[in-house]
Amino acid sequence: MSTPPAPAASTDLHKVVDAVWRMESARIVGALTRVTGDVGLAEELAQDALVAALEQWPGSGVPARPGAWLMATAKHRAVDTFRRADTLRRKTEQLGRELDEAEEPDWAAALDETVEDDVLRLVFIACHPVLSREARVALTLRLVGGLTTDEIARAFLVPEKTLAQRIVRAKRTLTAAHVPFETPAGPEFTARIGSVLEVLYLVFNEGYSATAGEDWIRPSLCQEAMRLGRILAGLVPGEPEVHGLVALMEIQASRLAARVGPGGEAVTLPDQDRSRWDRVLIKHGLAALQRAEESGAALGPYALQAAIAACHARAATVEDTDWARIAALYEALAELTGSPVVQLNRAVAVSRAYGAGAGLEMADALADEPALRGYHLLPTVRGDLLEQLGRLEEARGEFEAAAALTRNERERTLLLDRAAACTRQLRP
C-alpha cells in the first residue's frame, strides 16, 4: 500500500500538473477533436487524462515526458470510448476504417498527425463567429489556454456557474451548427482570422485595463493573451496583422509594472516611471512590428495601434513623444475603423501636439455620439483638457461624471482624486 504524499509534495505535484496542462491541453484537445469531430467529447477525454495524472503521478512520479503521457492516456480513453459507443459502426464508417484490435495503431497514427495544424484548427473553432463574443473568449481560454472555469470566471468577474453554462452552450452551438474542424481557406480565412484576433485583443485589454472590480490590471490575462498570440504567429507567420497584434500586446504589456503604485493604485501614462518599463518586451514588440511592416501590406488596425504604442516606447519622456505622428496614426486608424473611441484617442494626441483647445474641440464633437453614451473615458478626456485650459469648475464636473460611470474601483478613486484636486485649486 503506497504512502499518501505529504501536503507540500501534493501541492507541488498539482502545480506541475497545472503547468503541464496549460502547455499541452490545446494539442491534446485538438488531436482528439480532429478524430472525434466533437469538441465537447474531446475535452471530456482530455480531462479524463488529467484526472488520471492526478491519481497516478503521486505514486509513480511525474513522467519524463508528462505531455506525451497525457496524450497517450487520452488516446486510450478515446479508443475505449469508441469501442463502447452504440454508434461505433457509423463512426468507423465515417472515418473510413473498421476499428478492430489489429487496426488500433491507425487510431494512434491519426491522433499523432501534425500537432500544429490541430492547434490552429482549435483556435479557429473556439473563435468561430457563430458564437457570441463572450462565448468565444471563454471557450478560447478554456480550450486553447487551458484555464479552468473558475480561473476564467474570476478573471471576468462573473459567477463560475454562469461561465460554465456559457462554455457548455458554446460547445452545443458548435455541434448544432456542424462547424467543421478545419482551418478555413481563402476569403473565409481572412474573415475568420479577424474573429481570432478580436478574441485575443479582448482578453489582453481586460487584463491591461480591467473594466470592473478592485484591480486596475490583471497581468495573468495579458500574459495568456500574449502566449496565445505568439503561438498563432508561429502557426501563420505570413499574416501581418497577427504580428501587429503581438507587437501591440508586448509593447503595451511592457508598462504593466509602472501602471500601478505601491498600494495598487492606478498610475496614468504621464506619471509613470519609465525606468520600470520592460525593455525586453519592448524589444520583442518592436521586432514583431517590423515583421508586420516588412510584409509590404498596408498596416491593419492592430499594426497601427502597435505603431502608436511604439512611439510611446521610444520616447524617454512624455514631452519627447512624437505626438504629431501619433495623431496622424490615429487619423489613419479612424479612417480604417470608423470607431468613435479611436477619434477620442486622436483628440488626446491632437491636444498634445497642437494644444488642449484643438483637442477639446474634437472631443466636444463626439459628445452626441451614440457609441460613447455612458462611456467613462469621454468625460475623463474632457476633464483632462478642461483642466489644462484652466476651466477647473467644468473639469471637476467631468471627472465626477466619469467616476460615476466607471465600474473599476481603482479608476473611480483616481477620477475622484482628480476632481478633488480641481476643487483645491479653486479655493482662494
Side-chain angles (χ1 to χ4, degrees), residues 270 323 343-366 376-399 402 415 418 422 425:
W323 289 106
Q343 290 285 15
L344 183 61
N345 287 324
R346 181 186 170 208
V348 174
V350 166
S351 74
R352 291 285 187 175
Y354 307 110
L360 183 60
E361 184 178 348
M362 291 184 65
D364 286 346
L366 299 169
H376 71 283
L377 289 183
L378 177 57
T380 299
V381 169
R382 292 196 75 254
D384 183 60
L385 298 176
L386 287 164
E387 185 180 27
Q388 291 179 45
L389 293 168
R391 295 160 60 177
L392 299 178
E393 186 70 46
E394 295 172 82
R396 178 179 64 182
E398 292 295 323
F399 288 135
L415 291 164
R418 295 197 68 180
C422 291
Q425 294 179 69

Side-chain angles (χ1 to χ4, degrees), residues 67-138:
W69 189 98
L70 285 173
M71 179 70 88
T73 302
K75 288 179 193 176
H76 295 149
R77 294 291 195 276
V79 171
D80 290 343
T81 298
F82 289 140
R83 272 193 176 140
R84 292 193 304 266
D86 293 334
T87 57
L88 175 59
R89 184 163 298 280
R90 179 177 59 82
K91 175 60 69 176
T92 54
E93 288 173 354
Q94 181 182 353
L95 292 169
R97 62 169 65 91
E98 291 292 334
L99 181 63
D100 56 29
E101 192 70 28
E103 290 179 329
E104 281 187 18
D106 290 337
W107 281 102
L111 285 160
D112 281 336
E113 287 177 11
T114 308
V115 167
E116 288 77 7
D117 289 348
D118 287 339
V119 174
L120 184 58
R121 292 175 188 134
L122 191 63
V123 170
F124 274 99
I125 199 171
C127 298
H128 197 286
V130 74
L131 303 175
S132 69
R133 177 182 290 184
E134 293 79 9
R136 277 180 264 160
V137 169

Side-chain angles (χ1 to χ4, degrees), residues 39-40 43 125-126 128 130-143 149-175 199 202-203 206 211 407:
V39 70
E43 193 193 9
I125 199 171
H128 197 286
V130 74
L131 303 175
S132 69
R133 177 182 290 184
E134 293 79 9
R136 277 180 264 160
V137 169
L139 200 59
T140 300
L141 291 177
R142 174 76 174 177
L143 297 181
T149 303
D150 176 60
E151 286 175 320
I152 304 168
R154 282 190 283 110
F156 287 92
L157 303 179
V158 297
E160 184 177 359
K161 183 178 179 181
T162 300
L163 198 284
Q165 291 172 342
R166 187 176 295 168
I167 290 174
V168 168
R169 284 195 300 269
K171 293 175 187 174
R172 289 175 179 167
T173 299
L174 291 172
T175 300
V199 167
L202 287 169
V203 173
E206 184 59 32
T211 54
R407 294 187 294 131

Side-chain angles (χ1 to χ4, degrees), residues 401-417:
L405 290 172
T406 184
R407 294 187 294 131
N408 185 280
E409 295 297 330
R410 297 290 185 180
E411 192 166 29
R412 181 178 294 113
T413 299
L414 174 67
L415 291 164
L416 291 176
D417 286 346

Side-chain angles (χ1 to χ4, degrees), residues 229-240:
R230 291 167 187 148
I231 290 173
L232 188 61
L235 297 175
V236 285
E239 289 296 318

